[in-house]
Protein backbone atom coordinates (compact mmCIF):
# COMPACT_ATOMS: atom_id res chain seq x y z
CA UNK A 1 0.00 0.00 0.00
CA UNK A 2 1.29 3.51 -0.76
CA UNK A 3 1.65 6.06 1.98
CA UNK A 4 2.03 9.83 2.35
CA UNK A 5 3.89 11.98 4.86
CA UNK A 6 1.44 14.06 6.84
CA UNK A 7 2.47 17.14 8.80
CA UNK A 8 1.49 17.01 12.46
CA UNK A 9 2.12 20.70 12.22
CA UNK A 10 3.80 22.46 9.34
CA UNK A 11 6.51 24.92 10.32
CA UNK A 12 8.45 27.48 8.32
CA UNK A 13 11.74 25.61 8.39
CA UNK A 14 14.01 27.68 6.10
CA UNK A 15 14.25 26.64 2.48
CA UNK A 16 17.64 25.45 1.35
CA UNK A 17 18.57 27.00 -1.99
CA UNK A 18 21.70 27.69 -3.96
CA UNK A 19 22.91 31.27 -4.04
CA UNK A 20 21.53 32.11 -7.48
CA UNK A 21 18.00 30.97 -6.65
CA UNK A 22 18.00 32.52 -3.16
CA UNK A 23 19.18 35.76 -4.74
CA UNK A 24 16.27 35.74 -7.21
CA UNK A 25 13.80 35.61 -4.30
CA UNK A 26 15.19 38.71 -2.61
CA UNK A 27 16.50 36.79 0.40
CA UNK A 28 19.96 38.30 0.18
CA UNK A 29 19.24 41.96 0.82
CA UNK A 30 21.24 43.86 3.39
CA UNK A 31 20.66 43.05 7.03
CA UNK A 32 18.50 45.50 8.94
CA UNK A 33 21.61 46.71 10.72
CA UNK A 34 24.61 46.97 8.45
CA UNK A 35 27.12 46.08 11.11
CA UNK A 36 30.34 44.27 10.38
CA UNK A 37 31.02 41.46 12.86
CA UNK A 38 34.23 41.94 14.76
CA UNK A 39 35.23 38.39 13.86
CA UNK A 40 36.04 39.62 10.36
CA UNK A 41 38.62 42.21 11.36
CA UNK A 42 41.16 39.62 10.36
CA UNK A 43 44.32 39.21 8.37
CA UNK A 44 42.33 37.07 5.96
CA UNK A 45 40.22 39.93 4.61
CA UNK A 46 43.14 42.33 4.75
CA UNK A 47 45.30 39.96 2.69
CA UNK A 48 42.51 39.52 0.12
CA UNK A 49 42.35 43.30 -0.35
CA UNK A 50 46.14 43.49 -0.62
CA UNK A 51 46.19 40.75 -3.27
CA UNK A 52 43.52 42.56 -5.30
CA UNK A 53 45.49 45.82 -5.23
CA UNK A 54 48.53 44.00 -6.59
CA UNK A 55 46.76 41.59 -8.97
CA UNK A 56 43.89 43.27 -10.86
CA UNK A 57 42.38 40.09 -12.33
CA UNK A 58 39.04 38.26 -12.32
CA UNK A 59 39.96 35.57 -9.72
CA UNK A 60 41.10 38.15 -7.15
CA UNK A 61 38.11 40.38 -7.89
CA UNK A 62 35.69 37.51 -7.27
CA UNK A 63 37.46 36.56 -4.06
CA UNK A 64 37.27 40.11 -2.71
CA UNK A 65 33.63 40.64 -3.71
CA UNK A 66 32.55 37.27 -2.28
CA UNK A 67 34.21 37.96 1.07
CA UNK A 68 33.05 41.58 1.17
CA UNK A 69 29.42 40.57 0.62
CA UNK A 70 29.59 38.16 3.52
CA UNK A 71 30.51 40.94 5.92
CA UNK A 72 28.27 43.63 4.38
CA UNK A 73 31.29 45.78 3.47
CA UNK A 74 29.35 47.61 0.76
CA UNK A 75 31.10 51.00 1.11
CA UNK A 76 34.65 49.66 0.76
CA UNK A 77 36.19 51.41 -2.29
CA UNK A 78 38.24 48.31 -3.11
CA UNK A 79 35.13 46.11 -3.12
CA UNK A 80 33.35 48.62 -5.40
CA UNK A 81 36.37 48.70 -7.70
CA UNK A 82 36.52 44.89 -7.85
CA UNK A 83 32.78 44.61 -8.52
CA UNK A 84 33.00 47.10 -11.39
CA UNK A 85 35.97 45.20 -12.78
CA UNK A 86 33.90 42.01 -12.89
CA UNK A 87 31.02 43.77 -14.64
CA UNK A 88 33.36 45.39 -17.14
CA UNK A 89 34.76 41.94 -17.96
CA UNK A 90 31.54 39.92 -17.73
CA UNK A 91 32.36 38.06 -20.95
CA UNK A 92 35.36 36.51 -19.18
CA UNK A 93 33.57 35.16 -16.11
CA UNK A 94 30.47 33.27 -14.92
CA UNK A 95 26.88 34.41 -14.38
CA UNK A 96 27.24 33.85 -10.64
CA UNK A 97 30.26 36.19 -10.51
CA UNK A 98 28.27 38.86 -12.37
CA UNK A 99 25.41 38.41 -9.91
CA UNK A 100 27.79 38.78 -6.95
CA UNK A 101 29.19 41.98 -8.40
CA UNK A 102 25.71 43.37 -9.06
CA UNK A 103 24.68 42.60 -5.48
CA UNK A 104 27.77 44.39 -4.18
CA UNK A 105 26.87 47.50 -6.18
CA UNK A 106 23.17 47.17 -5.38
CA UNK A 107 22.38 47.01 -9.10
CA UNK A 108 21.20 43.41 -9.27
CA UNK A 109 18.02 42.65 -11.16
CA UNK A 110 15.01 41.57 -9.13
CA UNK A 111 15.23 38.21 -10.86
CA UNK A 112 18.18 36.15 -11.98
CA UNK A 113 17.43 34.39 -15.25
CA UNK A 114 17.68 30.67 -14.54
CA UNK A 115 16.83 27.98 -17.08
CA UNK A 116 13.53 26.39 -16.05
CA UNK A 117 13.06 28.89 -13.21
CA UNK A 118 13.73 27.53 -9.76
CA UNK A 119 14.06 23.94 -11.00
CA UNK A 120 17.26 22.03 -10.29
CA UNK A 121 18.43 19.43 -12.76
CA UNK A 122 18.05 16.07 -11.02
CA UNK A 123 19.96 13.70 -13.28
CA UNK A 124 22.96 12.16 -11.55
CA UNK A 125 25.25 13.25 -14.39
CA UNK A 126 24.16 16.88 -14.12
CA UNK A 127 24.55 16.90 -10.33
CA UNK A 128 28.04 15.42 -10.59
CA UNK A 129 28.90 18.10 -13.13
CA UNK A 130 27.80 20.82 -10.69
CA UNK A 131 29.84 19.21 -7.92
CA UNK A 132 32.95 19.04 -10.11
CA UNK A 133 32.62 22.70 -11.13
CA UNK A 134 32.10 23.86 -7.55
CA UNK A 135 34.99 21.76 -6.24
CA UNK A 136 37.22 23.43 -8.82
CA UNK A 137 35.96 26.87 -7.73
CA UNK A 138 36.50 26.06 -4.06
CA UNK A 139 40.05 24.90 -4.74
CA UNK A 140 40.85 28.09 -6.63
CA UNK A 141 39.09 30.47 -4.17
CA UNK A 142 38.94 28.56 -0.92
CA UNK A 143 37.53 31.48 1.08
CA UNK A 144 34.36 31.67 -1.05
CA UNK A 145 31.72 30.68 1.49
CA UNK A 146 28.94 30.83 -1.11
CA UNK A 147 30.64 28.24 -3.31
CA UNK A 148 31.16 25.93 -0.31
CA UNK A 149 27.47 26.26 0.65
CA UNK A 150 26.34 25.49 -2.90
CA UNK A 151 28.68 22.51 -3.00
CA UNK A 152 27.03 21.16 0.16
CA UNK A 153 23.63 21.52 -1.52
CA UNK A 154 24.62 19.41 -4.51
CA UNK A 155 26.34 16.80 -2.34
CA UNK A 156 23.05 16.42 -0.45
CA UNK A 157 21.22 15.75 -3.72
CA UNK A 158 23.26 12.55 -4.00
CA UNK A 159 22.95 11.67 -0.30
CA UNK A 160 26.65 12.34 0.26
CA UNK A 161 26.08 13.39 3.84
CA UNK A 162 29.67 13.50 5.06
CA UNK A 163 30.84 15.66 2.16
CA UNK A 164 27.81 17.94 2.47
CA UNK A 165 28.40 18.55 6.17
CA UNK A 166 32.11 19.14 5.66
CA UNK A 167 31.47 21.67 2.88
CA UNK A 168 28.82 23.52 4.86
CA UNK A 169 31.03 23.60 7.94
CA UNK A 170 33.68 25.37 5.89
CA UNK A 171 31.04 27.80 4.60
CA UNK A 172 29.97 28.57 8.17
CA UNK A 173 33.54 29.14 9.30
CA UNK A 174 33.90 31.73 6.54
CA UNK A 175 30.48 33.37 6.79
CA UNK A 176 28.94 32.75 10.19
CA UNK A 177 27.32 36.21 10.23
CA UNK A 178 25.80 35.96 6.76
CA UNK A 179 22.07 35.34 6.42
CA UNK A 180 22.36 33.09 3.36
CA UNK A 181 25.03 30.91 4.96
CA UNK A 182 23.20 30.67 8.30
CA UNK A 183 19.86 29.71 6.78
CA UNK A 184 21.49 27.19 4.46
CA UNK A 185 23.47 25.65 7.30
CA UNK A 186 20.52 25.49 9.67
CA UNK A 187 18.48 23.67 7.03
CA UNK A 188 21.28 21.23 6.28
CA UNK A 189 21.87 20.31 9.91
CA UNK A 190 18.13 20.00 10.56
CA UNK A 191 17.83 17.78 7.49
CA UNK A 192 20.60 15.52 8.75
CA UNK A 193 19.15 15.17 12.25
CA UNK A 194 21.11 17.83 14.13
CA UNK A 195 18.56 20.60 14.81
CA UNK A 196 20.24 21.47 18.11
CA UNK A 197 23.44 22.36 16.27
CA UNK A 198 21.40 24.36 13.77
CA UNK A 199 19.99 26.36 16.69
CA UNK A 200 23.47 26.88 18.11
CA UNK A 201 24.57 28.46 14.83
CA UNK A 202 21.51 30.70 14.58
CA UNK A 203 21.54 31.81 18.21
CA UNK A 204 25.27 32.40 18.22
CA UNK A 205 25.17 34.95 15.41
CA UNK A 206 25.20 38.67 16.12
CA UNK A 207 22.46 39.29 13.55
CA UNK A 208 19.97 36.91 15.22
CA UNK A 209 18.42 39.60 17.40
CA UNK A 210 17.48 41.90 14.53
CA UNK A 211 17.31 39.86 11.32
CA UNK A 212 13.72 38.57 10.80
CA UNK A 213 14.86 35.78 8.49
CA UNK A 214 17.11 34.36 11.21
CA UNK A 215 14.44 34.82 13.90
CA UNK A 216 11.87 32.91 11.83
CA UNK A 217 14.35 30.09 11.26
CA UNK A 218 15.28 29.83 14.95
CA UNK A 219 11.68 29.89 16.15
CA UNK A 220 10.53 27.25 13.64
CA UNK A 221 13.42 24.86 14.28
CA UNK A 222 12.96 25.27 18.05
CA UNK A 223 9.27 24.44 17.69
CA UNK A 224 10.09 21.37 15.57
CA UNK A 225 11.94 19.77 18.49
CA UNK A 226 9.64 21.10 21.21
CA UNK A 227 12.18 23.54 22.61
CA UNK A 228 11.52 27.09 23.71
CA UNK A 229 12.74 29.71 21.29
CA UNK A 230 15.28 32.20 22.58
CA UNK A 231 14.28 34.80 20.01
CA UNK A 232 10.48 34.86 20.20
CA UNK A 233 10.45 37.99 22.42
CA UNK A 234 12.67 39.82 19.93
CA UNK A 235 10.34 38.63 17.15
CA UNK A 236 7.24 39.95 18.91
CA UNK A 237 8.85 43.36 19.38
CA UNK A 238 10.01 43.45 15.77
CA UNK A 239 6.51 42.64 14.49
CA UNK A 240 4.91 45.21 16.81
CA UNK A 241 7.28 47.88 15.49
CA UNK A 242 6.98 46.91 11.81
CA UNK A 243 5.39 49.66 9.75
CA UNK A 244 4.68 47.29 6.85
CA UNK A 245 5.12 43.71 5.72
CA UNK A 246 7.96 43.15 3.24
CA UNK A 247 9.66 40.15 1.71
CA UNK A 248 12.19 40.46 4.55
CA UNK A 249 9.74 39.97 7.43
CA UNK A 250 6.82 38.02 5.92
CA UNK A 251 8.18 34.65 7.06
CA UNK A 252 8.44 35.99 10.59
CA UNK A 253 4.76 37.05 10.48
CA UNK A 254 3.81 33.59 9.20
CA UNK A 255 5.97 31.88 11.82
CA UNK A 256 4.34 33.79 14.67
CA UNK A 257 0.93 33.11 13.15
CA UNK A 258 1.70 29.40 13.20
CA UNK A 259 2.64 29.61 16.88
CA UNK A 260 -0.69 31.28 17.61
CA UNK A 261 -2.43 28.43 15.76
CA UNK A 262 -0.55 25.91 17.93
CA UNK A 263 -1.75 27.74 21.05
CA UNK A 264 -5.35 27.83 19.85
CA UNK A 265 -5.39 31.60 19.25
CA UNK A 266 -7.09 31.34 15.85
CA UNK A 267 -8.03 35.01 15.48
CA UNK A 268 -4.43 36.12 16.06
CA UNK A 269 -3.23 33.35 13.76
CA UNK A 270 -5.43 34.54 10.89
CA UNK A 271 -4.39 38.16 11.35
CA UNK A 272 -0.68 37.32 11.21
CA UNK A 273 -1.03 34.95 8.27
CA UNK A 274 -3.05 37.50 6.31
CA UNK A 275 -0.31 40.05 7.04
CA UNK A 276 2.38 37.67 5.77
CA UNK A 277 0.49 37.31 2.49
CA UNK A 278 0.90 41.00 1.67
CA UNK A 279 4.43 40.26 0.46
CA UNK A 280 4.87 36.49 0.81
CA UNK A 281 7.72 34.15 0.14
CA UNK A 282 6.71 30.83 -1.39
CA UNK A 283 7.20 29.28 2.06
CA UNK A 284 4.55 31.67 3.42
CA UNK A 285 2.18 30.62 0.65
CA UNK A 286 2.63 26.94 1.49
CA UNK A 287 2.03 27.72 5.15
CA UNK A 288 -1.18 29.56 4.34
CA UNK A 289 -2.44 26.64 2.24
CA UNK A 290 -1.70 24.14 5.00
CA UNK A 291 -3.39 26.30 7.63
CA UNK A 292 -6.39 26.94 5.37
CA UNK A 293 -7.06 23.20 5.26
CA UNK A 294 -6.80 22.94 9.05
CA UNK A 295 -8.96 26.00 9.68
CA UNK A 296 -11.53 25.14 7.01
CA UNK A 297 -11.28 28.64 5.57
CA UNK A 298 -9.06 29.65 2.63
CA UNK A 299 -6.66 32.57 2.65
CA UNK A 300 -6.25 34.72 -0.43
CA UNK A 301 -2.96 33.38 -1.70
CA UNK A 302 -1.34 34.67 -4.91
CA UNK A 303 -0.27 31.27 -6.24
CA UNK A 304 1.05 32.81 -9.42
CA UNK A 305 4.14 33.80 -7.42
CA UNK A 306 7.22 32.06 -8.71
CA UNK A 307 8.22 28.77 -7.10
CA UNK A 308 5.07 28.35 -4.98
CA UNK A 309 5.14 24.66 -5.87
CA UNK A 310 4.35 23.26 -2.44
CA UNK A 311 1.44 25.67 -2.05
CA UNK A 312 0.16 24.71 -5.50
CA UNK A 313 0.48 21.02 -4.63
CA UNK A 314 -1.57 21.45 -1.47
CA UNK A 315 -4.24 23.64 -3.03
CA UNK A 316 -4.70 21.42 -6.09
CA UNK A 317 -4.81 18.28 -3.95
CA UNK A 318 -7.41 19.82 -1.65
CA UNK A 319 -9.41 20.80 -4.77
CA UNK A 320 -9.35 17.17 -6.00
CA UNK A 321 -7.25 18.12 -9.04
CA UNK A 322 -4.91 15.18 -8.71
CA UNK A 323 -3.14 15.23 -12.05
CA UNK A 324 -2.32 18.91 -11.68
CA UNK A 325 -1.29 18.31 -8.06
CA UNK A 326 1.25 15.68 -9.13
CA UNK A 327 2.60 18.07 -11.79
CA UNK A 328 3.09 20.74 -9.12
CA UNK A 329 4.66 18.16 -6.81
CA UNK A 330 7.19 17.29 -9.51
CA UNK A 331 8.21 20.94 -9.59
CA UNK A 332 8.35 21.03 -5.80
CA UNK A 333 10.66 18.00 -5.89
CA UNK A 334 12.99 19.77 -8.33
CA UNK A 335 12.88 22.92 -6.19
CA UNK A 336 13.81 21.12 -2.93
CA UNK A 337 15.44 17.96 -4.32
CA UNK A 338 17.11 16.92 -1.07
CA UNK A 339 13.73 16.65 0.68
CA UNK A 340 11.86 13.33 0.70
CA UNK A 341 8.42 14.88 1.28
CA UNK A 342 7.58 15.89 -2.32
CA UNK A 343 8.74 12.49 -3.61
CA UNK A 344 6.74 10.53 -1.02
CA UNK A 345 3.59 12.59 -1.48
CA UNK A 346 3.86 12.81 -5.26
CA UNK A 347 4.26 9.05 -5.60
CA UNK A 348 1.33 8.55 -3.22
CA UNK A 349 -1.09 10.68 -5.25
CA UNK A 350 0.15 9.24 -8.55
CA UNK A 351 -0.50 5.74 -7.19
CA UNK A 352 -3.75 6.28 -5.27
CA UNK A 353 -5.73 8.74 -7.36
CA UNK A 354 -4.23 8.35 -10.82
CA UNK A 355 -3.03 4.74 -10.82
CA UNK A 356 -0.06 6.06 -12.80
CA UNK A 357 2.46 3.64 -11.39
CA UNK A 358 5.19 4.31 -13.96
CA UNK A 359 5.14 7.97 -13.01
CA UNK A 360 5.21 7.01 -9.34
CA UNK A 361 8.33 4.94 -10.01
CA UNK A 362 10.02 7.90 -11.72
CA UNK A 363 9.21 10.18 -8.79
CA UNK A 364 10.51 7.64 -6.27
CA UNK A 365 13.75 7.11 -8.15
CA UNK A 366 14.48 10.85 -8.09
CA UNK A 367 13.67 11.05 -4.38
CA UNK A 368 15.77 8.02 -3.51
CA UNK A 369 18.88 9.71 -4.92
CA UNK A 370 18.92 12.08 -1.95
CA UNK A 371 16.90 10.03 0.57
CA UNK A 372 17.87 6.37 0.07
CA UNK A 373 16.83 5.43 3.62
CA UNK A 374 13.41 7.11 3.74
CA UNK A 375 11.17 4.15 4.54
CA UNK A 376 7.92 5.55 3.13
CA UNK A 377 9.68 6.38 -0.13
CA UNK A 378 11.13 2.87 -0.30
CA UNK A 379 7.69 1.44 0.42
CA UNK A 380 5.99 3.52 -2.29
CA UNK A 381 8.70 2.48 -4.75
CA UNK A 382 8.15 -1.20 -4.01
CA UNK A 383 4.37 -0.77 -4.28
CA UNK A 384 4.57 0.94 -7.68
CA UNK A 385 7.01 -1.70 -8.95
CA UNK A 386 4.53 -4.43 -7.91
CA UNK A 387 1.69 -2.71 -9.72
CA UNK A 388 3.83 -2.59 -12.86
CA UNK A 389 4.49 -6.34 -12.61
CA UNK A 390 8.15 -5.98 -11.63
CA UNK A 391 7.92 -8.53 -8.82
CA UNK A 392 11.62 -9.40 -8.58
CA UNK A 393 12.64 -5.74 -8.39
CA UNK A 394 9.99 -5.04 -5.77
CA UNK A 395 11.04 -8.03 -3.67
CA UNK A 396 14.67 -6.84 -3.70
CA UNK A 397 13.57 -3.39 -2.54
CA UNK A 398 11.44 -4.82 0.28
CA UNK A 399 14.17 -7.22 1.40
CA UNK A 400 16.71 -4.38 1.50
CA UNK A 401 14.86 -2.70 4.38
CA UNK A 402 16.27 -3.05 7.89
CA UNK A 403 13.05 -3.34 9.89
CA UNK A 404 14.74 -3.03 13.26
CA UNK A 405 13.88 0.30 14.81
CA UNK A 406 11.02 1.09 12.43
CA UNK A 407 8.03 2.86 13.93
CA UNK A 408 4.70 1.04 13.97
CA UNK A 409 3.18 2.90 11.04
CA UNK A 410 6.15 2.22 8.77
CA UNK A 411 6.36 -1.42 9.86
CA UNK A 412 2.65 -2.02 9.29
CA UNK A 413 2.70 -0.22 5.94
CA UNK A 414 5.60 -2.35 4.76
CA UNK A 415 3.75 -5.48 5.96
CA UNK A 416 0.75 -4.54 3.81
CA UNK A 417 3.00 -3.98 0.77
CA UNK A 418 4.64 -7.35 1.42
CA UNK A 419 1.12 -8.80 1.52
CA UNK A 420 0.55 -7.39 -1.97
CA UNK A 421 3.77 -9.06 -3.12
CA UNK A 422 2.57 -12.40 -1.75
CA UNK A 423 -0.76 -12.08 -3.57
CA UNK A 424 1.02 -11.44 -6.85
CA UNK A 425 3.30 -14.41 -6.21
CA UNK A 426 0.25 -16.63 -5.63
CA UNK A 427 0.89 -17.11 -1.91
CA UNK A 428 -2.67 -16.20 -0.89
CA UNK A 429 -2.50 -17.61 2.63
CA UNK A 430 0.52 -15.55 3.68
CA UNK A 431 -0.83 -12.53 1.83
CA UNK A 432 -4.09 -12.61 3.81
CA UNK A 433 -2.18 -13.06 7.04
CA UNK A 434 0.00 -10.00 6.35
CA UNK A 435 -2.95 -7.80 5.39
CA UNK A 436 -4.95 -8.99 8.41
CA UNK A 437 -2.04 -8.22 10.72
CA UNK A 438 -1.39 -4.76 9.27
CA UNK A 439 -5.06 -3.70 9.25
CA UNK A 440 -5.53 -4.96 12.80
CA UNK A 441 -2.60 -2.86 13.98
CA UNK A 442 -3.72 0.20 12.05
CA UNK A 443 -7.13 -0.13 13.74
CA UNK A 444 -5.53 -0.63 17.16
CA UNK A 445 -3.40 2.50 16.69
CA UNK A 446 -6.44 4.45 15.45
CA UNK A 447 -4.62 5.15 12.17
CA UNK A 448 -7.79 5.38 10.15
CA UNK A 449 -6.29 6.78 6.97
CA UNK A 450 -3.74 4.00 6.70
CA UNK A 451 -6.43 1.45 7.55
CA UNK A 452 -8.67 2.65 4.72
CA UNK A 453 -5.84 2.43 2.19
CA UNK A 454 -4.81 -1.08 3.31
CA UNK A 455 -8.40 -2.33 3.18
CA UNK A 456 -8.85 -0.91 -0.33
CA UNK A 457 -5.84 -2.70 -1.80
CA UNK A 458 -6.59 -5.88 0.12
CA UNK A 459 -10.07 -5.82 -1.43
CA UNK A 460 -8.59 -5.37 -4.92
CA UNK A 461 -6.48 -8.50 -4.59
CA UNK A 462 -9.28 -10.56 -3.03
CA UNK A 463 -11.59 -10.01 -6.03
CA UNK A 464 -9.79 -12.85 -7.76
CA UNK A 465 -10.28 -15.26 -4.87
CA UNK A 466 -13.24 -14.32 -2.66
CA UNK A 467 -15.73 -11.73 -3.98
CA UNK A 468 -17.69 -11.71 -0.73
CA UNK A 469 -14.63 -10.87 1.34
CA UNK A 470 -13.54 -8.29 -1.24
CA UNK A 471 -16.90 -6.52 -1.10
CA UNK A 472 -16.86 -6.47 2.70
CA UNK A 473 -13.33 -5.03 2.84
CA UNK A 474 -14.10 -2.38 0.23
CA UNK A 475 -17.26 -1.26 2.03
CA UNK A 476 -15.30 -0.79 5.27
CA UNK A 477 -12.67 1.20 3.39
CA UNK A 478 -15.31 3.47 1.80
CA UNK A 479 -16.96 4.17 5.16
CA UNK A 480 -13.65 5.17 6.75
CA UNK A 481 -12.60 7.23 3.72
CA UNK A 482 -15.86 9.19 3.83
CA UNK A 483 -15.49 9.96 7.54
CA UNK A 484 -11.85 10.94 7.13
CA UNK A 485 -12.56 12.98 3.97
CA UNK A 486 -10.05 10.96 1.97
CA UNK A 487 -11.24 12.25 -1.35
CA UNK A 488 -8.26 10.84 -3.23
CA UNK A 489 -9.13 7.32 -2.10
CA UNK A 490 -12.84 7.75 -2.85
CA UNK A 491 -11.85 9.04 -6.28
CA UNK A 492 -9.82 5.88 -6.86
CA UNK A 493 -12.63 3.59 -5.73
CA UNK A 494 -15.20 5.39 -7.87
CA UNK A 495 -13.00 5.42 -10.99
CA UNK A 496 -11.52 1.95 -10.60
CA UNK A 497 -11.09 0.51 -14.02
Amino acid sequence: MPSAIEYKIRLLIPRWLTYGVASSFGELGENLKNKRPSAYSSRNYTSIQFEWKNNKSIPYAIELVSFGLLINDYENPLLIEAANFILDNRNMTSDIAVELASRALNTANDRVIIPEPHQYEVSVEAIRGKIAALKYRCRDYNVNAIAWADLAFYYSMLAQKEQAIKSMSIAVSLGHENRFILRSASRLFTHYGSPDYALTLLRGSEISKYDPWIMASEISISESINKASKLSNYAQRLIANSEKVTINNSELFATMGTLEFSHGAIKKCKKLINSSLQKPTENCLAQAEWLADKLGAPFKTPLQNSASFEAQTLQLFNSNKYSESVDACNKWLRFQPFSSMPAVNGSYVASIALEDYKHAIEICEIGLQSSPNEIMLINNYAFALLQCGRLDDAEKVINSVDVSGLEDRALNTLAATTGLLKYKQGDVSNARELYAMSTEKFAKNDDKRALAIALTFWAEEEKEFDMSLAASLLEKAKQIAKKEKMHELLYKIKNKK
Side-chain angles (χ1 to χ4, degrees), residues 235-243:
Q236 289 171 352
R237 286 198 293 271
L238 193 151
I239 285 177
N241 294 327
S242 295
E243 296 181 358

Side-chain angles (χ1 to χ4, degrees), residues 24-299:
S24 75
F25 290 152
E27 294 187 15
L28 307 182
E30 294 183 35
N31 294 325
L32 298 184
K33 293 184 179 179
N34 194 15
K35 176 183 177 182
R36 182 187 305 178
S38 60
Y40 285 101
S41 300
S42 62
R43 288 183 301 171
N44 202 5
Y45 190 42
T46 301
S47 65
I48 290 170
Q49 295 177 80
F50 179 80
E51 288 167 353
W52 160 248
K53 284 192 286 187
N54 290 281
N55 299 277
K56 299 293 177 69
S57 62
I58 287 290
Y60 289 104
I62 293 174
E63 192 171 16
L64 174 55
V65 169
S66 299
F67 209 111
L69 279 175
L70 288 174
I71 62 173
N72 304 317
D73 195 19
Y74 295 97
E75 297 179 3
N76 185 338
L78 288 176
L79 181 141
I80 294 170
E81 181 187 35
N84 280 314
F85 184 86
I86 292 170
L87 295 180
D88 290 341
N89 296 276
R90 64 179 66 221
N91 62 322
M92 299 171 57
T93 188
S94 64
D95 290 342
I96 189 71
V98 172
E99 171 63 16
L100 286 168
S102 298
R103 290 284 162 194
L105 297 172
N106 200 26
T107 60
N109 294 326
D110 290 338
R111 292 253 172 262
V112 178
I113 298 174
I114 304 168
E116 292 296 321
H118 318 311
Q119 301 284 283
Y120 293 102
E121 175 58 61
V122 294
S123 72
V124 173
E125 295 76 13
I127 298 167
R128 286 175 176 165
K130 289 285 188 182
I131 289 172
L134 284 163
K135 285 173 69 176
Y136 179 81
R137 188 183 301 169
C138 289
R139 280 197 300 267
D140 275 7
Y141 323 119
N142 62 6
V143 294
N144 187 341
I146 290 167
W148 283 109
D150 283 358
L151 180 58
F153 180 93
Y154 286 106
Y155 274 135
S156 77
M157 287 180 67
L158 295 181
Q160 296 182 17
K161 176 180 176 180
E162 183 177 336
Q163 295 94 322
I165 290 175
K166 180 179 179 182
S167 298
M168 189 60 80
S169 297
I170 294 172
V172 170
S173 72
L174 295 168
H176 61 271
E177 291 293 338
N178 178 266
R179 176 194 297 157
F180 169 72
I181 300 299
L182 283 171
R183 280 169 55 86
S184 299
S186 66
R187 186 64 181 89
L188 174 143
F189 288 109
T190 299
H191 175 67
Y192 284 126
S194 299
D196 284 301
Y197 184 60
L199 290 175
T200 298
L201 293 177
L202 294 169
R203 293 168 178 172
S205 67
E206 290 188 24
I207 66 173
S208 65
K209 294 179 178 62
Y210 56 79
D211 190 309
W213 296 90
I214 301 302
M215 289 182 193
S217 301
E218 190 272 347
I219 293 167
S220 294
I221 294 174
S222 296
E223 191 73 6
S224 74
I225 56 175
N226 298 313
K227 286 196 171 183
S229 166
K230 294 188 177 181
L231 300 179
S232 58
N233 289 337
Y234 293 99
Q236 289 171 352
R237 286 198 293 271
L238 193 151
I239 285 177
N241 294 327
S242 295
E243 296 181 358
K244 62 180 180 178
V245 179
T246 69
I247 196 71
N248 280 314
N249 62 17
S250 60
E251 285 199 12
L252 185 60
F253 274 81
T255 295
M256 300 308 287
T258 304
L259 288 186
E260 297 294 357
F261 171 78
S262 300
H263 301 150
I266 304 304
K267 188 175 181 179
K268 290 181 180 179
C269 163
K270 289 181 177 180
K271 182 179 179 180
L272 287 162
I273 295 300
N274 278 317
S275 294
S276 76
L277 295 175
Q278 293 175 31
K279 196 72 174 178
T281 65
E282 62 78 29
N283 207 356
C284 291
L285 293 173
Q287 193 67 11
E289 285 301 321
W290 181 81
L291 281 167
D293 182 54
K294 299 300 176 185
L295 296 172
F299 293 96

